[in-house]
């Protein structure tokens, strides 16, 4: 892919989980879906015209994903297959879309850290996004990226954000962009001097998302209203879209506006189904 100036845009290698998710809402919305930040963010990158490779461990039950036509635009060369079941998440939300409880079974994702470290060593000039979520050892991965002087961005997941922000704190000023929601930003402020952070995207559900550069707000965008069908993955969609548009040369304000619009469309759309294995 090329940007408007004719320069090649780097592939974004997304370090994270791919999972089987079950979501629940008080009004009986929800159900089974394909989840995990690595695939949701990669889908958003490809939808915005970019290149993405999930750096992930697929369980036996999802080993067929790279052969599924629904995901043929994704570069699966950075994925490996583990021996066992994929990660599963049971996610419970309230009516406004806030996560209130999560049960996790990490399965083969227990091998994600070692796989990610090997991949970084093999691709030290890559551009990375790190989904700082259990069971990833975020400190080891971020240290490796900094030692190789890789460009990298970061996001968090609220149930583990306090722990992950603390272990990642010393490396965050080296990140190009951080993605957090309003609650995670408050946790971030307690641990890191936000004036040292190059760029932080702060989302707040249906309220305005803002960009802060070295602590100062530089852009904001209000998501267009869409009835929420499924909120899981909205942050991943926003992050993937924003990073891709910025890599293509879009201004921060335009990238944020387009990213919030993409996230709004995501929550109104049907969730990603888990593709059935192809028959021989």
């Amino acid at each position: 892919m090329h940007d408007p100036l004719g320069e090649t845009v780097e592939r974004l290698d997304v370090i994270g989980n791919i999972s089987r998710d079950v979501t629940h809402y008080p009004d009986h919305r929800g159900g089974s879906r394909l989840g995990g930040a690595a695939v949701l963010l990669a889908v958003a990158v490809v939808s915005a015209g970019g290149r993405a490779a999930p750096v992930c461990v697929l369980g036996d039950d999802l080993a067929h994903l790279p052969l599924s036509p629904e995901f043929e635009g994704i570069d699966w060369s950075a994925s490996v297959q583990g021996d066992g079941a994929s990660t599963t998440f049971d996610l419970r939300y309230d009516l406004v879309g806030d996560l209130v409880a999560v049960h996790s079974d990490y399965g083969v994702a227990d091998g994600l850290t070692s796989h990610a470290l090997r991949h970084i060593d093999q691709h030290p000039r890559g551009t990375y996004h790190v989904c700082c979520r259990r069971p990833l050892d975020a400190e080891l991965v971020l240290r490796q990226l900094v030692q190789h002087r890789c460009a990298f961005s970061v996001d968090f997941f609220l149930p583990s954000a306090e722990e992950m922000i603390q272990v990642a704190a010393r490396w965050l000023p080296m990140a190009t962009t951080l993605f957090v929601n309003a609650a995670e930003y408050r946790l971030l402020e307690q641990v890191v001097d936000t004036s040292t952070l190059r760029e932080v995207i702060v989302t707040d559900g249906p309220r305005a998302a803002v960009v802060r550069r070295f602590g100062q707000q530089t852009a904001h965008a209000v998501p267009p209203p869409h009835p929420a069908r499924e909120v899981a993955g909205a942050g991943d969609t926003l992050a993937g879209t924003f990073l891709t548009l910025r890599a293509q040369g879009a201004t921060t304000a335009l990238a944020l506006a387009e990213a919030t619009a993409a996230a709004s469309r995501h929550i109104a759309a049907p969730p990603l189904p888990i593709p059935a294995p192809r028959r021989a």
Side-chain angles (χ1 to χ4, degrees):
M1 178 199 126
H2 293 77
D3 70 14
L5 299 178
E7 298 174 352
T8 300
V9 175
E10 295 286 346
R11 184 183 76 178
L12 183 65
D13 288 8
V14 186
I15 299 174
N17 299 320
I18 294 183
S19 59
R20 291 176 171 270
D21 292 356
V22 180
T23 59
H24 309 268
Y25 297 84
D27 58 3
H28 307 296
R29 282 179 292 143
S32 298
R33 48 165 290 159
L34 184 67
V39 70
L40 294 171
L41 202 145
V43 166
V45 169
V46 171
S47 296
R51 299 171 57 220
V55 182
C56 64
V57 183
L58 295 168
D60 297 326
D61 52 324
L62 294 180
H64 62 284
L65 284 188
L67 302 177
S68 299
E70 298 94 326
F71 304 108
E72 63 183 2
I74 293 174
D75 182 346
W76 291 97
S77 63
S79 67
V80 295
Q81 183 178 346
D83 184 14
S86 296
T87 304
T88 60
F89 291 108
D90 190 273
L91 304 157
R92 295 187 178 273
Y93 295 90
D94 62 21
L95 284 175
V96 298
D98 291 332
L99 185 64
V100 296
V102 58
H103 175 76
S104 308
D105 185 346
Y106 298 118
V108 296
D110 284 332
L112 177 59
T113 298
S114 58
H115 171 52
L117 294 174
R118 285 193 301 270
H119 181 82
I120 294 166
D121 276 340
Q122 293 166 3
H123 301 85
R125 301 186 66 182
T127 300
Y128 291 87
H129 180 81
V130 185
C131 307
C132 292
R133 309 173 187 198
R134 300 187 185 110
L136 186 72
D137 189 327
E139 184 176 16
L140 282 181
V141 169
L142 295 177
R143 178 190 300 153
Q144 186 111 326
L145 290 170
V146 171
Q147 289 174 344
H148 283 301
R149 299 183 179 179
C150 298
F152 67 94
S153 51
V154 172
D155 72 13
F156 300 96
F157 182 46
L158 187 57
S160 60
E162 184 172 10
E163 169 197 345
M164 288 291 184
I165 289 171
Q166 288 177 347
V167 300
R170 66 176 296 189
W171 312 113
L172 297 182
M174 278 72 90
T176 58
T177 308
L178 276 65
F179 295 89
V180 294
N181 63 27
E184 292 162 352
Y185 187 71
R186 290 191 289 271
L187 294 171
L188 188 66
E189 288 182 301
Q190 296 172 18
V191 179
V192 181
D193 178 358
T194 55
S195 69
T196 67
L197 302 177
R198 301 181 192 182
E199 182 175 71
V200 185
I201 315 301
V202 187
T203 58
D204 195 10
R207 292 165 288 278
V210 301
V211 179
R212 298 185 183 276
R213 290 186 58 82
F214 298 107
Q216 301 299 311
Q217 182 174 320
T218 59
H220 75 281
V222 178
H226 283 290
R229 182 171 181 170
E230 178 64 84
V231 301
D236 303 316
T237 300
L238 184 145
T241 305
F242 181 88
L243 291 169
T244 304
L245 295 178
R246 288 291 288 138
Q248 293 170 355
T251 65
T252 301
L254 176 60
L256 183 66
E258 293 294 331
T260 55
S264 292
R265 291 192 298 270
H266 172 84
I267 67 173
L272 283 177
I274 299 172
R278 298 178 69 178
R279 294 183 178 179

